[in-house]
Amino acid sequence: MMTNMWCMLFISIVWANFSTINSVRVCEPGTFGWHCKFSCYCAEGSCDPITGTCPSGCQRNRYGPGCQLLSAFRYSVEAHGYQGSTDRTADGEKCVMWNNTVFVVMYGLKSSDFPDQAIPGAFCRNPLNLIFRGLEGRGPWCFTNFMEKTKFYGSCDIPVRGCDSGRFGELCEFECHCKYESPCTPMGICPSGCHPGWLKSTCQTLHQISQLRNSTLSEIINYTHELTVPRTSTLPESVNYSKIHCPFFYTNNWYMQSELKGSR
């Protein structure tokens, strides 16, 4: 029965911390994401409370995952994912439609070349597999006429900007899950470490306690110490936890259950 007692004691500690760490927070309308830290920028209505996706599309000055990016900026050097509404080159020339038959036929443009997943209208873009001299490293550009002049394209010279606090990635598509809710680096590294419950180098993976089924109590302690931050000092040091086997230890829809069938 001692086996059952130690398993139950530690599992109660794990569950108390786990349920607090991973409790679901229902976001108020107009906010979304981890701890509801991000605002919705939908053209109409509210966004998905988890992903920030807007059924109505983004406001005109916004684009990207969760409509978190401003059209006035690109968030990487090449910015192949730029979907903003900028429609003039740095020289002030108005962009013309990418989907004009002249460009589609002559350059073999196709939907998969663009982040829009369609050949767009008259906006600055940096399509894959098409680059002209002088545009290298300058990000989005556009055609400015139908080859009536010597120069028929131009760079939009959209300035580069970093992600807002709490996000990272080429399109700021990832949320930071750092301890104390501190910001992460542009590469997604948390200097303060991961928030309890998250792991891997960029804190994007949630602990899967279900992996601990049929584990020894020692293995459970080692695996969950970052997740639960349990006060293991409350467990006597004289006990050899590697000898204590907890046959069942799993989660189901964030609800932890245990059926301890330990041997005497």
Side-chain angles (χ1 to χ4, degrees), residues 125-145:
R125 293 291 186 268
N126 191 11
L128 298 171
N129 308 314
L130 181 62
I131 190 68
F132 290 106
R133 181 177 298 176
L135 294 177
E136 299 90 344
R138 298 184 68 182
W141 57 280
C142 67
F143 291 112
T144 53
N145 62 75

Side-chain angles (χ1 to χ4, degrees), residues 25 33 39 51 94 114 134 146 245 264:
R25 181 181 299 181
S39 298
T51 65
K94 188 80 170 63
F114 298 89
F146 303 110
H245 192 77
R264 295 178 182 273

Side-chain angles (χ1 to χ4, degrees), residues 96-212:
V96 296
M97 305 284 280
W98 289 92
N99 56 11
N100 183 277
T101 304
V102 174
F103 305 137
V104 173
V105 173
M106 181 166 290
Y107 300 108
L109 297 179
K110 52 188 182 296
S111 297
S112 58
D113 293 330
F114 298 89
D116 315 71
Q117 293 304 302
I119 301 176
F123 297 107
C124 299
R125 293 291 186 268
N126 191 11
L128 298 171
N129 308 314
L130 181 62
I131 190 68
F132 290 106
R133 181 177 298 176
L135 294 177
E136 299 90 344
R138 298 184 68 182
W141 57 280
C142 67
F143 291 112
T144 53
N145 62 75
F146 303 110
M147 303 183 191
E148 296 173 353
K149 303 177 183 177
T150 302
K151 187 177 179 182
F152 54 94
Y153 60 87
S155 169
C156 298
D157 274 353
I158 298 171
V160 179
R161 171 178 170 163
C163 298
D164 289 342
S165 179
R167 304 188 74 90
F168 72 99
E170 185 174 352
L171 288 171
C172 308
E173 64 267 42
F174 300 111
E175 297 180 358
C176 301
H177 301 132
C178 300
K179 190 179 293 184
Y180 313 121
E181 297 191 36
S182 57
C184 60
T185 70
M187 298 302 292
I189 305 301
C190 292
S192 59
C194 297
H195 186 83
W198 297 91
L199 70 163
K200 297 295 179 69
S201 59
T202 56
C203 308
Q204 295 299 295
T205 303
L206 196 64
H207 274 272
Q208 297 297 317
I209 295 184
S210 58
Q211 297 176 16
L212 297 176

